[in-house]
Amino acid sequence: MTPTGTTQKPPQTLDEWVELLRVQEMPIFSNTAHNIYAALDDRHKGAIELATVILQDPNLTAKLLKVGSSPYYNPSKQKMSTVSRAIVVLGAEVIRELTLACSFFEAMLSSANKDRANREIALALHAAVQAKDLALSMGDTSPEEVFVAALLHNIGHIAFWCSGNPQSKKVHEQIEKSGLNTREAEKKVLGFTLQDLGKKLSKSWCLSGLIEAAIAKPDSAEKRVQMVQLGHQICAALKAGHDSEAMQACLQKVAAFTGLSPEILKTKIDKNTSEAVHIARQFGANDASKFISTEAIIAKFEEAEEEKADKKQLQFQILQDISSHISGQIDLNGLFEMVLEGIHRGVEMDRTLFMLISPDKQTLSEKFSLGWQKTTLDQKMRILNSEASANLLFHALQQPEGVWLFPEQHHQLYTPQIRQHFGEYECFIFPVYAEKKTVGLIYCDHSIHGLPLTREDFIAAKHFAKQAHIGLTLYCMKSH
């Protein structure tokens, strides 16, 4: 952004405004956008070059990996700790679009004109989520490209209104006080429209493909350009009200385009609005998220954030209790009951189980369990290592750091014995060992409420399992 206190000649022409916004106001985005497209010009070395572009900016790298790991982009929850891995998991094209989005947010969130910037970010992001959902409904091969094209569709408006330049602030005021409709006011005060500015900026940043097409020819009959336009039209109609005539007309238009009924579309649009709030927060645009939706939806997210804080606090308290216990006379039964409760209540697992392994390593027997629906309290599970192939539990015993298993990916491990006692659910399993000897394992899942497990859950549960290992090790040392 331009340093305060400096005087400079105010921009007069469209080209001067483009230069001001490109070089002084949004250099982060300018450089990234140009370098990304240059990197992918050569398809043979695009992925390597793309990774190099991203890694030059530590903030961009961190944001990309955080957003790329979110369920919205990575529903299979594959681990991505490096940019190279992210490119393998999501593909170079998706990473390119995501990098553009991240650098766009980095440039916008540093804006001096915070309130207007947040409104523009909210509109851009909400339209992008609605457009991407339309692309998915239509079986589009690159919905992420539709997302970014909708995100950057009003780039001229966004760059202009979010500019911190003193001259642009004066023009903002003149346009707002003119009493004319937006396009007329822009033309009268600037001599050009902000749509014209967007076209020029798009060219100067070398934005190509659908982004350029949607900005240059917004009235095109090309289906993917229409998806971008409809994303923005849905947001405009929502502003008029859920039951407004504008919303009804918009629903009819989208229904004719997609072949989906207005009722189905209403549900999808509401879901996308909630999704947009969540994505805004992933990108770090918390203030902008409040302009996307109703206070009720924001309240729901803030409530979830509070619940998350409460969950962390409970985990901390139970971990303190465990630390206190293992620093004195250790009761192993008490230790494992606390560890199990920490995972069950602190990480909010539906079912949690600790099993001991027999001396011959062929049988696992239940010691403690929480959340299991049993006919009698003394009913205990036993799993034998007697099947032709390794089952879920005995496979997990070979993984010292613990495992996150999925029925669809590890189907062969869900043997008849496992299906009978556990069912087929996504789960975490952590071996428990002391002095390099395996003692048993801890199993946990979300089988009752069916909520997806998260990376954060895995790390928290693993931390409690480590406490069992530490406590066992100290017990053995004190016993010698």
Side-chain angles (χ1 to χ4, degrees):
M1 299 293 167
T2 308
T4 52
T6 59
T7 57
Q8 63 180 104
K9 182 188 168 191
Q12 300 293 323
T13 66
L14 176 56
D15 287 338
E16 285 176 4
W17 271 102
V18 167
E19 193 61 14
L20 169 76
L21 295 170
R22 187 177 69 81
V23 177
Q24 293 181 19
E25 300 293 343
M26 295 177 71
I28 300 166
F29 185 77
S30 298
N31 294 337
T32 305
H34 182 270
N35 292 339
I36 284 171
Y37 281 97
L40 289 184
D41 276 348
D42 184 341
R43 296 286 164 179
H44 295 294
K45 57 178 183 179
I48 297 164
E49 296 294 323
L50 180 58
T52 306
V53 169
I54 296 163
L55 288 166
Q56 284 170 353
D57 185 337
N59 290 338
L60 180 60
T61 302
K63 186 167 280 187
L64 175 76
L65 290 171
K66 181 186 175 188
V67 177
S69 297
S70 70
Y72 191 67
Y73 281 98
N74 183 17
S76 64
K77 303 172 190 162
Q78 293 187 61
K79 188 180 178 185
M80 298 187 303
S81 303
T82 64
V83 171
S84 303
R85 176 66 180 155
I87 292 172
V88 170
V89 172
L90 300 178
E93 292 297 324
V94 172
I95 291 295
R96 179 193 72 175
E97 306 301 344
L98 200 45
T99 305
L100 275 176
C102 288
S103 60
F104 162 78
F105 277 101
E106 204 171 337
M108 289 299 100
L109 291 171
S110 61
S111 165
N113 189 359
K114 291 289 184 193
D115 187 66
R116 186 68 196 226
N118 284 322
R119 289 177 188 276
E120 293 293 347
I121 289 167
L123 172 61
L125 186 56
H126 191 184
V129 173
Q130 297 289 358
K132 181 181 175 181
D133 189 63
L134 288 175
L136 289 166
S137 298
M138 302 289 285
D140 189 87
T141 54
S142 182
E144 285 75 21
E145 190 182 8
V146 176
F147 176 91
V148 173
L151 185 74
L152 302 182
H153 182 58
N154 286 348
I155 194 70
H157 296 72
I158 293 165
F160 176 79
W161 285 112
C162 298
S163 167
N165 181 271
Q167 297 302 327
S168 60
K169 285 181 184 175
K170 289 179 186 174
V171 179
H172 298 171
E173 289 168 12
Q174 285 179 288
I175 289 177
E176 288 184 332
K177 289 175 183 173
S178 69
L180 299 169
N181 73 43
T182 311
R183 284 177 66 86
E184 287 172 349
E186 291 163 6
K187 193 91 175 163
K188 182 181 176 187
V189 174
L190 295 167
F192 56 85
T193 68
L194 295 183
Q195 189 178 335
D196 296 331
L197 180 63
K199 287 178 187 176
K200 276 271 192 178
L201 281 169
S202 163
K203 278 197 169 62
S204 76
W205 285 324
C206 305
L207 300 178
S208 58
L210 182 60
I211 300 172
E212 183 188 29
I215 292 172
K217 298 176 183 173
D219 300 324
S220 167
E222 205 275 312
K223 267 198 168 181
R224 303 183 82 225
V225 171
Q226 287 185 45
M227 289 172 192
V228 172
Q229 296 299 332
L230 285 171
H232 281 269
Q233 287 168 26
I234 287 168
C235 294
L238 281 170
K239 222 172 181 183
H242 261 81
D243 302 316
S244 65
E245 285 182 19
M247 191 72 234
Q248 298 312 310
C250 182
L251 282 171
Q252 292 301 325
K253 189 173 181 180
V254 179
F257 182 76
T258 60
L260 299 171
S261 71
E263 289 68 32
I264 289 173
L265 287 170
K266 270 186 182 176
T267 304
K268 286 169 80 64
I269 287 168
D270 286 345
K271 180 174 173 289
N272 293 336
T273 301
S274 294
E275 189 73 71
V277 173
H278 187 65
I279 297 294
R281 291 176 172 237
Q282 287 282 330
F283 277 112
N286 286 17
D287 291 337
S289 72
K290 293 171 184 174
F291 292 106
I292 291 173
S293 188
T294 62
E295 287 181 13
I297 288 180
I298 298 298
K300 184 180 82 172
F301 276 94
E302 286 173 350
E303 193 178 310
E305 301 266 328
E306 282 175 26
E307 284 175 10
K308 201 172 176 182
D310 291 342
K311 190 170 161 180
K312 291 269 185 202
Q313 182 61 29
L314 180 59
Q315 288 173 16
F316 178 69
Q317 287 168 351
I318 296 173
L319 285 167
Q320 275 191 320
D321 289 346
I322 294 171
S323 295
S324 175
H325 180 79
I326 62 179
S327 64
Q329 192 70 30
I330 299 170
D331 167 23
L332 286 182
N333 285 344
L335 169 65
F336 282 105
E337 282 172 353
M338 280 193 282
V339 166
L340 227 58
E341 185 178 345
I343 294 172
H344 191 68
R345 289 179 56 231
V347 193
E348 295 181 349
M349 288 292 153
D350 289 341
R351 300 189 306 183
T352 316
L353 170 73
F354 171 54
M355 302 185 90
L356 287 169
I357 195 163
S358 61
D360 66 0
K361 310 295 183 192
Q362 296 305 303
T363 308
L364 281 161
S365 303
E366 175 187 337
K367 181 68 175 170
F368 302 112
S369 66
L370 294 168
W372 298 77
Q373 295 168 337
K374 299 180 179 183
T375 50
T376 61
L377 284 174
D378 58 356
Q379 184 184 347
K380 300 285 185 183
M381 271 186 281
R382 287 178 77 240
I383 300 294
L384 308 175
N385 190 22
S386 59
E387 291 162 305
S389 60
N391 65 41
L392 196 74
L393 304 185
F394 282 93
H395 166 79
L397 286 173
Q398 310 307 313
Q399 321 298 319
E401 293 301 309
V403 284
W404 183 351
L405 297 163
F406 303 84
E408 58 274 17
Q409 288 179 23
H410 309 98
H411 183 69
Q412 73 281 5
L413 298 175
Y414 289 78
T415 60
Q417 194 181 186
I418 296 296
R419 291 199 298 272
Q420 178 192 345
H421 292 286
F422 291 78
E424 293 185 73
Y425 299 103
E426 180 184 356
C427 62
F428 301 148
I429 306 176
F430 303 96
V432 175
Y433 49 95
E435 297 184 324
K436 297 183 180 177
K437 290 181 183 174
T438 305
V439 174
L441 59 76
I442 293 168
Y443 169 99
C444 53
D445 66 29
H446 273 170
S447 59
I448 297 169
H449 295 101
L451 297 171
L453 297 173
T454 68
R455 186 95 198 135
E456 195 174 17
D457 292 336
F458 182 79
I459 292 165
K462 183 178 177 179
H463 195 52
F464 279 105
K466 289 267 186 201
Q467 297 305 301
H469 166 66
I470 293 166
L472 261 176
T473 304
L474 289 171
Y475 179 84
C476 293
M477 287 168 62
K478 288 175 182 178
S479 301
H480 288 333

